[in-house]
Amino acid sequence: MDSPAVPAPRDARERAILDRLVIIRDQLLLLKQDRTTYIRSQDIIPLYDQTIEQVKELTTTRAESRSHEENRLDKVLESCFQLLSLFYLTIGRNNEAPATYALTSTIKRLLDHLSEADLYSAKDLESVKSTLAKLAKSISQARDEEGSAAQHSPYLLALLSKRVERCQVTLANLQKRLERIGEPLLMMHEKMISILRQISMANTKAKFSTSEVQKLRKQLVEIGEQRKDGKFTAEDGTEPPGGAEICDLYNRCLKWSDLVLERKGDVADQWRPTYDALVGIRNDLEKLSLTQAWSLRETDLYDFQRQLDKIDESRENGNFNDDRGRPADLWTQRTMLYLIRRSYAYIYSFMLASEPVSEALLPVYNQLQTLKRCLIEVKNNGGVSSVRELYPYSMKVNPFPNASFVVISDVIQLNSLDNMRVDGKFVINGDVPEGQGSVCELLAECFDLNYDLRVAAEEGSNGV
């Protein structure tokens, strides 16, 4: 987007569109950086509409010129769609077409890396296959539903369809490559891939642990000891399809473990800045994975994506080259690629876990989720012996510390949460945020669980 290597548009009309898109992108970036208030639908929808207007004009312009080469306009437009997509997740409109753009970008990166490395298992593809099927269905419904074309540009729906189709083609090729391996060897293949990744994870820890890698290497050796005459065979002694591939994978894993033990996490000086940047991204995303429901705003992922994309796209013919054009050694190449792939995987998981609830309602939603889990745990462990024991479960931490609620010891009873609703809806600062149905349903489930436990406790007391 901001690289001088990407030329500016030659067409005067495209340059005018570019100027307007830059303004839209900058407004989106300012909204992303503002943490003083919640993002609202009315903040985002007008910017989405403005972007679509520019897309319509661009489509007309390029149809008339009949010639096009990618320029800075395409990069800025991509940034606008990426930001808008993450904003749609932030405001709880996860099931609408624009929300899928960022997810397809990340899926494409993950699939391209799996194709490049050729080190993956069937389990790696299951989630992506399911996600792509849901995205394809969502886009198809958006196209077929009456009035949706007016709400979501046909250009955007066509663009999303193509992105999903490209990902599905790559996925199909990856699945076909796995078919080389016969059923008896699939579990062994998956186990070795798992060990390989654990070694790579240990390889990038702040403090290298030789013993940890040695234990993982021992697991590999134990798998290798199952070979007969140097081959992995089935129970009947025959070599299943893919036996040669499994032997090759075993040798690759063993060599990688030896290389990791030899290097002990030592990074050459010329690669230290890139390595440190990647470790920092991975660590930040790992921390977010522990507190995602409480601290992540989906638009935060944009900065991580941009940093990763920039590093990933700096490779030449798949290799990291230094300032003098010399490729990095094998350990450095694999280590940095592992960090990139791991970070993209975190981003993918965050997008999948995003709830269709506006960030304005997330504090209530998350705390009700916690309460529901507590109530289910109590119920599964025999319930309570008296109604008095239910009092703590009828209360929640104040989800809106700045709101004017009656707070006793920083808690609010479930009834107070229910009383927050106006005409059955949660109203925050005069707005009715997205996700009302999800929050109300969760609140009702908590009341039902609480009621069931209360009835069981009263019946138990009467029985005594």
Side-chain angles (χ1 to χ4, degrees):
M1 175 172 74
D2 46 14
S3 170
V6 182
R10 297 180 182 180
D11 189 290
R13 292 174 297 176
E14 285 199 21
R15 289 198 294 272
I17 296 170
L18 172 60
D19 291 341
R20 291 191 287 271
L21 284 174
V22 167
I23 293 173
I24 295 171
R25 182 202 64 194
D26 291 348
Q27 287 178 282
L28 290 168
L29 289 172
L30 286 173
L31 274 173
K32 182 183 77 68
Q33 293 164 7
D34 184 3
R35 311 292 293 207
T36 62
T37 185
Y38 295 124
I39 300 297
R40 305 171 303 166
S41 292
Q42 52 264 48
D43 298 324
I44 302 306
I45 304 305
L47 293 172
Y48 169 77
D49 292 338
Q50 291 173 37
T51 302
I52 294 303
E53 282 301 315
Q54 300 310 308
V55 168
K56 290 178 181 177
E57 188 172 340
L58 177 63
T59 303
T60 302
T61 298
R62 288 183 172 170
E64 292 174 355
S65 64
R66 296 185 181 181
S67 64
H68 167 61
E69 58 181 24
E70 187 172 278
N71 56 51
R72 202 170 303 158
L73 170 54
D74 298 278
K75 294 295 184 182
V76 174
L77 180 58
E78 180 182 352
S79 294
C80 288
F81 275 136
Q82 195 80 7
L83 283 162
L84 285 166
S85 180
L86 294 171
F87 270 116
Y88 263 71
L89 295 177
T90 303
I91 61 178
R93 304 179 77 147
N94 303 43
N95 299 320
E96 296 189 28
T100 66
Y101 189 94
L103 186 54
T104 57
S105 298
T106 303
I107 289 175
K108 184 179 185 304
R109 292 278 179 180
L110 286 172
L111 292 175
D112 286 345
H113 277 289
L114 291 180
S115 299
E116 178 184 18
D118 196 17
L119 292 169
Y120 58 93
S121 65
K123 189 179 293 185
D124 294 324
L125 305 182
E126 289 172 5
S127 173
V128 174
K129 181 181 179 181
S130 173
T131 302
L132 286 173
K134 290 177 182 176
L135 293 180
K137 183 178 179 181
S138 174
I139 295 166
S140 178
Q141 288 176 342
R143 184 183 287 113
D144 296 338
E145 288 174 2
E146 184 179 354
S148 66
Q151 182 181 4
H152 297 306
S153 162
Y155 169 89
L156 176 64
L157 295 178
L159 173 64
L160 292 171
S161 293
K162 289 179 181 177
R163 290 164 70 89
V164 170
E165 287 169 8
R166 282 197 293 267
C167 289
Q168 288 175 325
V169 168
T170 305
L171 175 66
N173 290 334
L174 289 168
Q175 290 175 314
K176 189 173 182 179
R177 281 157 68 174
L178 274 185
E179 292 173 2
R180 301 171 301 186
I181 303 170
E183 183 68 31
L185 297 179
L186 280 176
M187 289 296 292
M188 187 178 295
H189 176 264
E190 190 169 298
K191 177 65 175 176
M192 282 195 282
I193 293 292
S194 175
I195 294 173
L196 179 70
R197 289 177 180 164
Q198 291 178 67
I199 291 173
S200 295
M201 183 183 296
N203 181 45
T204 58
K205 288 184 177 179
K207 187 175 181 181
F208 184 82
S209 172
T210 299
S211 61
E212 181 180 359
V213 178
Q214 286 174 336
K215 288 178 183 178
L216 291 167
R217 189 184 188 283
K218 184 180 178 182
Q219 292 180 38
L220 283 173
V221 172
E222 290 172 354
I223 292 175
E225 289 172 350
Q226 299 177 35
R227 291 177 296 174
K228 295 179 181 178
D229 298 325
K231 298 179 180 180
F232 289 103
T233 60
E235 291 183 2
D236 61 2
T238 61
E239 185 178 12
E245 282 86 349
I246 295 297
C247 282
D248 179 61
L249 174 61
Y250 172 73
N251 291 326
R252 289 174 69 181
C253 291
L254 211 58
K255 288 178 181 177
W256 177 237
S257 65
D258 290 338
L259 184 55
V260 168
L261 286 168
E262 178 186 332
R263 288 292 291 264
K264 292 183 170 58
D266 183 35
V267 183
D269 291 342
Q270 68 266 39
W271 302 112
R272 174 60 68 177
T274 304
Y275 176 84
D276 287 346
L278 288 171
V279 168
I281 293 170
R282 191 274 312 269
N283 291 347
D284 287 343
L285 290 169
E286 188 174 347
K287 290 174 186 174
L288 277 174
S289 70
L290 303 175
T291 60
Q292 176 191 359
W294 306 95
S295 60
L296 177 69
R297 174 188 269 187
E298 284 82 356
T299 51
D300 295 339
L301 299 176
Y302 178 76
D303 293 330
F304 291 117
Q305 286 180 314
R306 281 196 62 194
Q307 293 175 70
L308 288 170
D309 292 350
K310 186 175 180 180
I311 294 173
D312 196 19
E313 291 167 6
S314 70
R315 295 189 290 150
E316 297 179 15
N317 297 321
N319 296 323
F320 290 99
N321 295 331
D322 63 16
D323 295 338
R324 297 170 62 181
R326 296 172 300 182
D329 60 273
L330 181 62
W331 179 87
T332 301
Q333 296 277 6
R334 289 188 178 179
T335 298
M336 294 205 292
L337 284 174
Y338 163 77
L339 289 168
I340 290 175
R341 291 163 187 160
R342 182 64 177 164
S343 295
Y344 278 128
Y346 271 125
I347 291 172
Y348 172 72
S349 68
F350 292 149
M351 291 182 185
L352 285 191
S354 176
E355 300 285 359
V357 176
S358 168
E359 66 170 349
L361 282 181
L362 271 180
V364 176
Y365 185 83
N366 290 333
Q367 292 189 59
L368 285 173
Q369 286 273 43
T370 302
L371 177 59
K372 179 183 174 181
R373 286 194 291 268
C374 290
L375 290 169
I376 290 174
E377 191 70 21
V378 170
K379 186 176 182 179
N380 291 340
N381 284 280
V384 293
S385 57
S386 69
V387 174
R388 182 178 293 274
E389 291 182 43
L390 282 174
Y391 290 167
Y393 301 103
S394 298
M395 310 173 84
K396 284 304 301 168
V397 175
N398 183 356
F400 301 110
N402 297 323
S404 56
F405 303 135
V406 179
V407 182
I408 302 176
S409 301
D410 294 328
V411 297
I412 303 178
Q413 294 188 1
L414 274 173
N415 286 329
S416 296
L417 276 176
D418 190 31
N419 291 335
M420 287 167 47
R421 294 191 286 179
V422 178
D423 296 328
K425 297 179 180 179
F426 289 94
V427 179
I428 311 298
N429 297 328
D431 295 320
V432 180
E434 302 285 342
Q436 298 285 328
S438 298
V439 177
C440 290
E441 182 181 352
L442 197 51
L443 182 61
E445 289 176 359
C446 289
F447 272 121
D448 289 343
L449 285 166
N450 191 288
Y451 176 78
D452 291 343
L453 288 168
R454 180 184 292 274
V455 170
E458 289 174 346
E459 290 176 349
S461 298
N462 292 335
V464 175

